[in-house]
Amino acid sequence: MKCFIAFSIALILAAPASAEPKEHLVFQRSSKTVATLSAAQISAKVPPQTVKFYDPHAGKKKAYRCWPIKAVMDLAFGAGWEKSDYPTATLTALDGYASVADALKLSEAGGCLAFEDDEVPGWEPMGRKGANPGPYYLVWTSPEQSTENAYPWPWQLASVNLEKFEARYPEVVPSGAPEGSSAMRGFKIFKNRCLRCHSINQQGGKIGPDLNAPQSIAVYRTKDWVMSYVRQPSKVRYTEMPDHTDLKDSELADIWEYFKLKSKQPEKKTF
């Protein structure tokens, strides 16, 4: 009996620790913190689940332990958050990378906030640089919920901020462009696909170059060059920028019209 008890205690001591990360997630509304939650606090209210699907960033099927993102948002912001006056969600990673998306997408089924790689202890590296996607990685289980369709897939997620796009990124908005115009359509594509890496007048992503300051790309590059490069940058250089081969010529032309309009709306100097 003593041997059995000792053996049982040894098994308990040898059991692996919980894979839930120690890092907290910060939830904000208009940049004001409304909740700071640990993984344990989320799991106490939102039962974790295991999902398996094709992860385009891994290039294969993956299994993750995660919480449905809609339930996490309900916990952090309260029921009805998706009907608020803050229609834009900015999801910021530990390194400052920010993914901007329509907040309503976070209310859809299929979105899951992963906190553990169910197949590889400590997470399988992602991307060309072999980044660790933890502690939190937002994934989508439906093939239609892709970055091409403006669904955010940030890894190393640190915070979620519900806000008004015009208030956070006023310099990115194409002032004077009528709804339905080519420049406005190009702005919407840029907002959904490009803003997470690129900025306009120093507002937006910091991974790629600013495309309007100090000089607009529409000034030092031709329309044909910009359209060709946006479609398939991998043909030109080794880069972290993804190809956009699904974009039609008309959509690439819309992006150019947005750049051309913004070239007439330069950065507002404060000095």
Side-chain angles (χ1 to χ4, degrees), residues 46-51 64-68 111-112 115:
V46 182
Q49 57 186 237
T50 300
V51 296
Y64 298 106
R65 292 282 292 160
C66 63
W67 310 286
C112 220
F115 59 84

Side-chain angles (χ1 to χ4, degrees), residues 162-181:
L162 295 182
E163 54 194 341
K164 296 179 180 179
F165 185 88
E166 295 79 2
R168 173 73 178 270
Y169 304 104
E171 289 286 302
V172 181
V173 177
S175 300
E179 187 64 37
S181 66

Side-chain angles (χ1 to χ4, degrees), residues 18-21 39 42-43 46-49 64-67 112-117 123 134-137:
S18 170
E20 289 183 346
I42 297 174
S43 289
V46 182
Q49 57 186 237
Y64 298 106
R65 292 282 292 160
C66 63
W67 310 286
C112 220
L113 187 57
F115 59 84
E116 180 187 359
D117 187 326
W123 296 92
Y136 303 105
Y137 172 32

Side-chain angles (χ1 to χ4, degrees), residues 198-259:
H198 293 280
S199 57
I200 295 290
N201 295 343
Q202 298 194 67
Q203 293 182 0
K206 306 302 180 186
I207 295 176
D210 191 303
L211 298 176
N212 205 58
Q215 191 176 55
S216 168
I217 191 173
V219 172
Y220 61 84
R221 294 293 189 187
T222 66
K223 178 180 179 179
D224 287 344
W225 189 94
V226 169
M227 289 176 60
S228 175
Y229 187 79
V230 172
R231 170 174 277 138
Q232 199 166 9
S234 63
K235 289 181 66 175
V236 180
R237 60 173 63 100
Y238 295 118
T239 175
E240 290 297 308
M241 181 173 169
D243 290 342
H244 299 282
T245 53
D246 61 303
L247 289 178
K248 302 174 184 176
D249 286 347
S250 60
E251 293 172 313
L252 292 166
D254 288 340
I255 295 174
W256 169 259
E257 290 301 320
Y258 168 67
F259 288 151

Side-chain angles (χ1 to χ4, degrees), residues 11-67:
L11 283 178
I12 293 172
L13 292 175
S18 170
E20 289 183 346
K22 297 179 181 179
E23 293 84 352
H24 287 67
L25 274 168
V26 177
F27 297 87
Q28 300 174 311
R29 184 179 288 110
S30 192
S31 299
K32 296 179 180 178
T33 300
V34 297
T36 301
L37 300 173
S38 66
Q41 288 173 314
I42 297 174
S43 289
K45 299 290 185 180
V46 182
Q49 57 186 237
T50 300
V51 296
K52 189 167 186 177
F53 63 98
Y54 179 84
D55 183 341
H57 292 109
K60 61 183 179 180
K61 282 189 175 182
K62 288 288 297 179
Y64 298 106
R65 292 282 292 160
C66 63
W67 310 286

Side-chain angles (χ1 to χ4, degrees), residues 173-188 261 265:
V173 177
S175 300
E179 187 64 37
S181 66
S182 180
M184 183 58 76
R185 292 195 300 269
F187 157 68
K188 291 178 180 178
L261 175 63
Q265 299 173 1

